[in-house]
Amino acid sequence: MRPTSIVGAGRLQNGYFSGGAVRSLMDRLSAPPDGLLVSVETAHDFVLHPGAQVRLRLTDARSGQLRTVPFRFEGVVKEFPTAPKDSFLVANASYIARTTGSDAPGTLLVDTRGTGQRQAAAKAKRVLSPSAHVTDLPTSQTVVGSSLTAVDLAGLARV
């Protein structure tokens, strides 16, 4: 994400994060730019503490090869509204662009104020590229709501 603009562009809440308020954590992603926020699961599984170095393998756009990029753990991002429900990371887009040679976004968040979501997604797909993966919120909610992980399996053993 672009930490200098995301706070004004979205309605980020302090409850989405641990280890600081939204503004302070976005500042930590900005200067120096190698800051990294990780999910609760990742912080726990890897016993991360503020300032710990995290090395991620990212695809270098110039060579097409994976390259190790160092980051510094700055805090925890909780269940971000568009995040997967397992392990995920939030980093400074400009740092990733500089270290990988590509500024192509992986995810775009578009606020439609709750209306025209499918139309906005269709337009984004036309503008970006036919190969871009674009999903609107209503479709995502349907998929999540109908997936096996959203089903209560408590009675399965009795069937």
Side-chain angles (χ1 to χ4, degrees), residues 61-141:
R62 298 161 292 232
S63 68
Q65 301 296 310
L66 290 175
R67 102 180 256 256
T68 301
V69 178
F71 291 87
R72 193 175 22 80
F73 174 63
E74 290 293 348
V76 170
V77 60
K78 297 179 184 175
E79 297 300 326
F80 209 72
T82 58
K85 299 302 179 202
D86 55 2
S87 185
F88 60 95
L89 311 166
V90 175
N92 187 323
S94 64
Y95 178 68
I96 292 173
R98 189 173 71 244
T99 57
T100 64
S102 173
D103 64 354
T107 302
L108 296 175
L109 301 177
V110 179
D111 185 357
T112 65
R113 307 273 187 230
T115 61
Q117 296 162 329
R118 287 192 171 99
Q119 293 84 351
K123 183 174 182 178
K125 187 167 182 79
R126 284 191 307 273
V127 169
L128 293 172
S129 138
S131 64
H133 179 76
V134 178
T135 307
D136 59 88
L137 190 56
T139 300
S140 294
Q141 289 172 323

Side-chain angles (χ1 to χ4, degrees), residues 6-86:
I6 189 74
V7 175
R11 293 182 291 270
L12 296 182
Q13 300 171 9
N14 289 333
Y16 294 154
F17 304 92
S18 288
V22 171
R23 176 62 69 184
S24 69
L25 287 171
M26 294 303 105
D27 288 346
R28 286 191 235 161
L29 286 181
S30 296
D34 63 344
L36 182 71
L37 303 176
V38 303
S39 66
V40 173
E41 297 85 357
T42 301
H44 178 266
D45 291 348
F46 293 95
V47 193
L48 296 175
H49 300 284
Q53 187 180 60
V54 177
R55 291 181 298 275
L56 300 176
R57 290 172 24 127
L58 303 176
T59 303
D60 187 294
R62 298 161 292 232
S63 68
Q65 301 296 310
L66 290 175
R67 102 180 256 256
T68 301
V69 178
F71 291 87
R72 193 175 22 80
F73 174 63
E74 290 293 348
V76 170
V77 60
K78 297 179 184 175
E79 297 300 326
F80 209 72
T82 58
K85 299 302 179 202
D86 55 2

